[in-house]
Structure formats: structure tokens, C-alpha cells
Amino acid sequence: MHRVVITGMGVISALGNNQEAFWSSLASGTPAISEITSIDVSDLRFKNAAEVKGYVPEQHFPAKDLAFLDRFAQFALIAAEEAVKQSGIEWTEALREDAAVITGSSLGGRAAEEAGYWELFHHNRTRVHPLTIPLSMSNAGASHISIRYGLQGPAYTISTACSSSAHAIGQAFHLVRSGIAPAAITGGSEATVFIGNLKAWEAMRVISKDTCRPFSADRSGLILGEGGAMLVLEPLEAALARGATPLAEIVGFGMTSDASHLTQPSHIGAARAMSKAIRDSGLAPEQFGYINAHGTATVANDRTETAAIREVFGPHANHLAISSTKSMHGHTLGAAGALEAVASILTLRNGILPPTANYTTQDPECDLDVIPNEPRPKQVEACLSNSFAFGGLNAVLAFRAYSWPGGESLTPNISA
């Protein structure tokens, strides 16, 4: 079994179109929630989302490639490019043969499907765009990344609603740790801002009309976001052998199913997933100092997650710092686990805990330290990143700082 480290990360989100801009906004507690500008939302009950701003596809892709790329797949490729560049990995023939690409997306290219349906049913056309299938298939992001870098190992997409990219990262972790894959590009992407999706969420009555206030007593629902994030995973010994700098270590993964209700979360399933991730990490619960919470700002999620954290950590829950970065970058559905994994890793590296923004008043049933509104300078050794999805599907990632606290390696004993 190999120790697995992250050597590269890439991000495109409402908080910024690269890793540096993303962290700058997170570390200053600056939300990116505003009125939707990319489409007409005059017929919607809510007007706000966390859109990717200042993004011009033609600056990243030639026209011939854009014809095959839905917005969500564009985000996947852009994030992968930044991650691969930071990692400095050289795709040798041997590495290409078995390297994995595991991505997550809940919606895939459903916007492309919607455009086709609009032509059929509104304009009474008899045919749709000939590339509708390759544009809309959920595995398009993984396939395009595989093609871009010539990676011929396992390549697939996981779709488990809001846990999709956390499941993807966990699966990639297992592949690299076991030695099945010598490296992996993993993460997720999502393009949520199209009218059919917005109308579907409007019908569920869980979208806030103003902003996202996780754990706050006056929270009124989630805010949708869009974007993508990718990680490069490698065995520690391979990374060190080529002179790479590990950004953090992924040490555990836990996944469970509530097996109880399609839309109402269970604290038992969430607690089991966290416990599994902690056990898998080999760390004591007390070594964890931060949790990037799922924190959707719905009454059901926030109270359930609080109860789950208290069940898992017991008295140590009172010493944990917890925040929901969805309060800043919105809920990106299938990409949420990937964006929040990057946020967690940057938290470990930079010694700053990002806040839960927009917080006003404590909910007595959410009585944890949720880092309200202001970032907090604090170095922690390890953290969890929680992802809980409709369908009762839970995925929790455990990360550890690569060195702690004064630069010494946390991974002196490498097993092959």
C-alpha cells in the first residue's frame, strides 16, 4: 500500500478562475454570490447564484474544440490543466499506460440536452445538434482529460448527486494507494446555470432568495454555484523521487448510504462516513482540527451534520473548527466535493481557516464553532471534507498536512 499525496491542484469557480484567486477570496471571507447575469431569470422566484465571472471560452479553447465541449467539460479541462502544470508531472509512456482519470458530475452536459429539447418542442424542429450526445454525456470531462494527456488507464465519471466528486477523489485515492494506478487526475465539474435546472431547484423550495447562511438561525436555503476543481494524486515515493513538493496527503476515505430516505438526510449515515474516513486515516479523532462541512444552509442538512459531528467526535467536537465554504462559492452540486477538497488542502498549507460567511445568529441546534464571518489564522494537522447527497449517499475525505508543525515530514515510513 502506498501513501498518496496531492502534487497539483486546479480550480475555476465563482471565487476565481485559478487556485490563487480562489484561495484569496476564501482566505478573506469574500462571498461570490450575486444576481445571475448569464441568462434571463425574470421568471424565477430566486435571482442569485455563484457564477463563474470573466470567463471567455475562446481564450482557452479553439473553436474546433469548443464544438465538442459543454461548459462543464470546459471547466474540467481548465482545472486539470492548472493541476497538471503545478504538479510538474511528466507523462512518460509507462505512466500514461495506467494513469487514471476519475471525475464526478451530477448534471453533466444537461444544458446541451436542454438546448436540443428547446429546438424540438419550442421551435418544432425535427432534429437536434449532431453533437448533442458527446456534449451532454456526463463522462465527457473525464474523456477529454484522458485524451488531452494520453492517459490510458481507468477513466470514468461518478454521478452521486452532491457527493459525486468526493466519491471520485476517494476512488482515485484507492486506485493509487493500491498500486492499480501509478497516478490519477481526479475531481469534478458542474455547470448549473441553465433554466431547466434552475426551475427544477425552484420547485424543490430549497433555494434562498438572497444568500447562503449555513448554520445560521435565519438561513433560508442554498445558493447554486458552478465551476470545477481537479487534483493530481501520486504515491509519495514517486513524488519525492522526481523532486515534486507534496501539497498535502490524502489519508482516508469513508463512504456510506443512509438507506432511509431519498431527500431527508440521516445523521447516522453521515456519522458512519466520517468515522470510516477517520479509521482509514489511522489518526486519532483529536488530531483533526478542522472540518470543511457540507453545510448547505438548509434546516435539514445543517442540523443533521451538526448531530453527526457531535456523535463522531464526542467532547472533541467542542474544540473543532468547522466552516461551510458554500457560503462563498455556492453549492456546485457534483463539483462541490472537489472544490471543498482544494479548500481543505489550502487550509492545511496556509494555516488560515476559511469562515462561514453571511452568518448572523446561532441556531441552538447548530452549536459548533462555525468560524463566523472572519477567517481565523490557525495551523491544524488534519481535516475532513464532508459531502452528503440526495439519495442518502455520503462521502468523506481525510487530509493531513504534509509537514507538521515545523517542516518535519509526517510520512517517514514509506511502504511500497
Side-chain angles (χ1 to χ4, degrees), residues 4 6 10 19 36 55 82 123 140 152 173 191 196-197 214 218 240 253 266 310 350 363 389:
V4 180
I6 300 95
Q19 184 189 145
I36 296 168
Y55 171 63
E82 184 183 15
H123 291 149
Q152 302 163 37
F173 166 56
N197 184 55
D218 60 347
L240 295 180
F253 177 53
S266 160
R310 286 209 168 276
N350 294 305
D363 178 348

Side-chain angles (χ1 to χ4, degrees), residues 9-373:
M9 301 189 295
V11 182
I12 179 168
S13 77
L15 290 177
N17 295 353
N18 54 52
Q19 184 189 145
E20 182 180 1
F22 177 73
W23 176 248
S24 177
S25 294
L26 276 184
S28 62
T30 305
I33 296 165
S34 61
E35 186 168 343
I36 296 168
T37 59
S38 60
I39 62 173
D40 180 9
V41 292
S42 58
D43 193 35
L44 284 173
R45 289 178 60 251
F46 64 90
K47 312 296 182 187
N48 293 340
E51 294 179 286
V52 172
K53 304 288 189 184
Y55 171 63
V56 181
E58 290 77 11
Q59 293 178 354
H60 297 270
F61 304 99
K64 64 180 181 62
D65 291 345
L66 282 174
F68 289 87
L69 288 166
D70 184 84
R71 187 174 174 90
F72 96 99
Q74 295 171 34
F75 291 160
L77 273 170
I78 289 168
E81 182 178 8
E82 184 183 15
V84 169
K85 182 177 180 181
Q86 183 180 30
S87 76
I89 194 167
E90 180 184 351
W91 298 114
T92 63
E93 184 176 346
L95 197 56
R96 283 194 176 100
E97 185 174 349
D98 292 311
V101 182
I102 317 298
T103 65
S105 185
S106 177
L107 302 175
R110 203 170 294 171
E113 287 186 348
E114 179 177 276
Y117 293 146
W118 185 262
E119 292 299 315
L120 285 174
F121 304 131
H122 186 76
H123 291 149
N124 296 316
R125 301 283 169 80
T126 59
R127 63 183 67 185
V128 298
H129 193 286
L131 297 179
T132 298
I133 294 299
L135 282 167
S136 62
M137 60 190 190
S138 294
N139 63 292
S143 296
H144 281 291
I145 293 169
S146 172
I147 292 166
R148 170 70 62 86
Y149 298 105
L151 307 185
Q152 302 163 37
Y156 56 90
T157 293
I158 293 172
S159 187
T160 50
C162 306
S163 291
S164 297
S165 55
H167 273 118
I169 295 169
Q171 293 282 296
F173 166 56
H174 284 170
L175 289 172
V176 176
R177 183 170 67 174
S178 67
I180 292 174
I185 299 174
T186 183
S189 64
E190 206 82 275
T192 61
V193 185
F194 57 96
I195 198 65
N197 184 55
L198 300 181
K199 277 291 186 182
W201 282 97
E202 178 185 63
M204 290 203 72
R205 303 281 174 152
V206 294
I207 304 290
S208 173
K209 290 184 178 180
D210 55 2
T211 195
C212 179
R213 295 187 182 88
F215 304 110
S216 187
D218 60 347
R219 64 194 180 279
S220 54
L222 60 89
I223 290 286
L224 291 171
E226 62 173 356
M230 294 291 163
L231 315 175
V232 173
L233 305 186
E234 298 182 65
L236 174 63
E237 64 271 27
L240 295 180
R242 67 179 185 83
T245 301
L247 306 178
E249 183 178 2
I250 177 169
V251 289
F253 177 53
M255 50 183 169
T256 64
S257 173
D258 292 349
S260 61
H261 196 280
L262 206 61
T263 59
Q264 293 300 313
S266 160
H267 83 278
I268 297 172
R272 288 177 56 240
M274 283 188 279
S275 293
K276 285 176 178 287
I278 294 168
R279 284 199 302 273
D280 192 36
S281 74
L283 303 178
E286 292 74 23
Q287 289 177 269
F288 289 85
Y290 171 70
I291 297 177
N292 189 299
H294 188 58
T296 60
T298 62
V299 171
N301 174 86
D302 293 0
R303 291 178 176 177
T304 298
E305 188 166 12
T306 300
I309 290 168
R310 286 209 168 276
E311 179 169 320
V312 170
F313 287 95
H316 182 58
N318 293 324
H319 305 287
L320 276 169
I322 294 148
S323 68
S324 171
T325 52
K326 288 183 178 73
S327 60
M328 292 178 273
H329 56 65
H331 193 342
T332 55
L333 304 183
L339 284 169
E340 290 156 23
V342 171
S344 298
I345 293 162
L346 290 171
T347 294
L348 292 176
R349 282 187 61 76
N350 294 305
I352 298 174
L353 308 184
T356 300
N358 311 310
Y359 187 86
T360 57
T361 307
Q362 185 184 64
D363 178 348
E365 294 189 51
C366 299
D367 58 346
L368 297 167
D369 175 7
V370 298
I371 319 177
N373 299 318

Side-chain angles (χ1 to χ4, degrees), residues 342-413:
V342 171
S344 298
I345 293 162
L346 290 171
T347 294
L348 292 176
R349 282 187 61 76
N350 294 305
I352 298 174
L353 308 184
T356 300
N358 311 310
Y359 187 86
T360 57
T361 307
Q362 185 184 64
D363 178 348
E365 294 189 51
C366 299
D367 58 346
L368 297 167
D369 175 7
V370 298
I371 319 177
N373 299 318
E374 297 294 331
R376 182 180 303 165
K378 184 177 182 181
Q379 187 69 59
V380 298
E381 179 182 354
C383 68
L384 295 180
S385 181
N386 288 345
S387 295
F388 309 134
F390 278 172
L393 308 180
N394 310 300
V396 177
L397 295 160
F399 299 101
R400 191 183 191 190
Y402 177 63
S403 58
W404 167 264
E408 68 273 17
S409 172
L410 287 170
T411 57
N413 299 313

